[in-house]
Amino acid sequence: MERGGLIPLRNSAGLSAALLVCALPAAAHAASCDTYVGQTLTPQTFAAAVAKVAGLPAKAKGETAAQYEARKAAAFASNSGPLIIAKEPEGQKYFEYDAAAQKLGIVEYAFHNKYFNEKDAFAAAGYPDTAKTSTNFVAVIEQVEKTVAPPSAATASAPKQLGKLHLTSKVIFERPAPYNENDWVTHLFPAAAPKPHYAGTSPMTPAEATALTPKLKLAYVVEPKAPYFLAGRLKYSATPHLDKVDIAEDFQILVADFQCGLVLTDAGKVLGAYPTE
């Protein structure tokens, strides 16, 4: 479900001491992303990145919240360094080539442009206070829509039937972001604040742009933090005068600090690495 633009999202829990990520000055953060350029990487799928935590038993009777969070932290602790998670581009229209400057501009929407109701999702997963402000980011890594039943018009023998839609959403949710009172959008990539909202650019000849752009891949570099991983189901009943479908959504959320967005060739070579807020 596309959201058609960037919407500021909501607040998350504090960092775990086991996986504390120190805030870097902007220049240092950018430099750390630059180290990825030129490397050949194999980003993980979302499922592979959260496999150890997703497979943990649910909070047991008598287990405290702190003990449960410690189990999830321990499952991530074996990771050596940040997670690099693959993300399919939201559309080719978000890759804009400037032939005169010989560079490819990556519009921020290529990285995240699908809607997810993180406030209701956190409440459904038992964390109602985790997502309730308006200065966070959420990136939908995968979202599959399946029509369970299409809507049907009323007939002489049967009333109008609303359709049913099932969503499967896998998302990354991040910390509060700096708020700019002059810009209603809070940008995941600081470089994207001015139009044309480029997360970054990559030098490229016209021939390279023609050959590479249709096959470009994206990835996020992230560091997990408490409460690490949540899963559950949301249900939305259709309102006849507004919506034509009932929606059920199964979701998985990785809570993490975004560090960089990567642009890669289909062979995994990193062409650009853009720092996040």
Side-chain angles (χ1 to χ4, degrees), residues 70 141 245 262:
I141 304 302
V245 295
L262 307 181

Side-chain angles (χ1 to χ4, degrees), residues 16 35 69 93 111 131 145 153 180 232 255:
S16 160
T35 61
E69 300 305 334
K93 63 184 177 181
F111 281 94
E145 296 186 22
N180 181 351
V255 182

Side-chain angles (χ1 to χ4, degrees), residues 16 18 53 56-76 127 226-229:
S16 160
V53 179
L56 289 177
K59 186 173 177 291
K61 185 177 182 180
E63 184 179 31
T64 67
Q67 289 170 332
Y68 180 48
E69 300 305 334
R71 278 204 288 128
K72 291 193 284 185
F76 274 120
Y127 292 80
Y228 306 105
F229 179 80

Side-chain angles (χ1 to χ4, degrees), residues 209-258:
T210 299
L212 296 177
T213 302
K215 300 178 181 179
L216 289 179
K217 305 292 184 182
L218 303 179
Y220 284 109
V221 181
V222 302
E223 189 78 25
K225 68 174 187 177
Y228 306 105
F229 179 80
L230 308 171
R233 169 171 277 211
L234 291 171
K235 289 186 177 182
Y236 304 99
S237 296
T239 304
H241 66 286
L242 294 176
D243 305 313
K244 297 181 179 180
V245 295
D246 289 318
I247 299 175
E249 181 173 20
D250 290 314
F251 62 84
Q252 294 185 343
I253 304 172
L254 171 64
V255 182
D257 277 313
F258 288 104

Side-chain angles (χ1 to χ4, degrees), residues 10-14 118-119 121-133 136 173 227 230:
R10 296 172 165 76
N11 185 35
S12 64
E118 75 291 344
K119 184 175 181 179
F122 272 84
Y127 292 80
D129 297 325
T130 300
K132 63 179 183 180
T133 67
N136 278 80
F173 175 88
L230 308 171

Side-chain angles (χ1 to χ4, degrees), residues 21-184:
V21 181
C22 296
L24 294 173
H29 196 174
S32 68
C33 292
D34 287 343
T35 61
Y36 290 103
V37 178
Q39 293 188 39
T40 298
L41 305 175
T42 304
Q44 292 179 289
T45 64
F46 182 94
V50 304
K52 291 181 180 178
V53 179
L56 289 177
K59 186 173 177 291
K61 185 177 182 180
E63 184 179 31
T64 67
Q67 289 170 332
Y68 180 48
E69 300 305 334
R71 278 204 288 128
K72 291 193 284 185
F76 274 120
S78 60
N79 293 311
S80 56
L83 299 175
I84 301 178
I85 299 177
K87 158 70 183 176
E88 285 297 318
E90 292 290 349
Q92 286 291 307
K93 63 184 177 181
Y94 299 125
F95 298 138
E96 298 182 353
Y97 185 65
D98 183 338
Q102 294 207 3
K103 64 182 181 181
L104 183 71
I106 315 300
V107 181
E108 186 173 31
Y109 303 132
F111 281 94
H112 60 117
N113 196 38
K114 284 188 170 61
Y115 175 75
F116 180 73
N117 186 341
E118 75 291 344
K119 184 175 181 179
D120 285 356
F122 272 84
Y127 292 80
D129 297 325
T130 300
K132 63 179 183 180
T133 67
S134 59
T135 56
N136 278 80
F137 300 114
V138 66
V140 176
I141 304 302
E142 301 175 29
Q143 191 174 73
V144 177
E145 296 186 22
K146 181 179 179 181
T147 300
V148 178
S152 63
T155 66
S157 59
K160 176 182 178 180
Q161 296 293 315
L162 297 176
K164 295 183 183 298
L165 180 70
H166 180 259
L167 296 178
T168 302
S169 299
K170 299 177 180 180
V171 310
I172 302 174
F173 175 88
E174 203 215 9
R175 70 202 186 289
Y179 176 68
N180 181 351
E181 64 181 8
N182 297 317
D183 187 355
W184 72 274

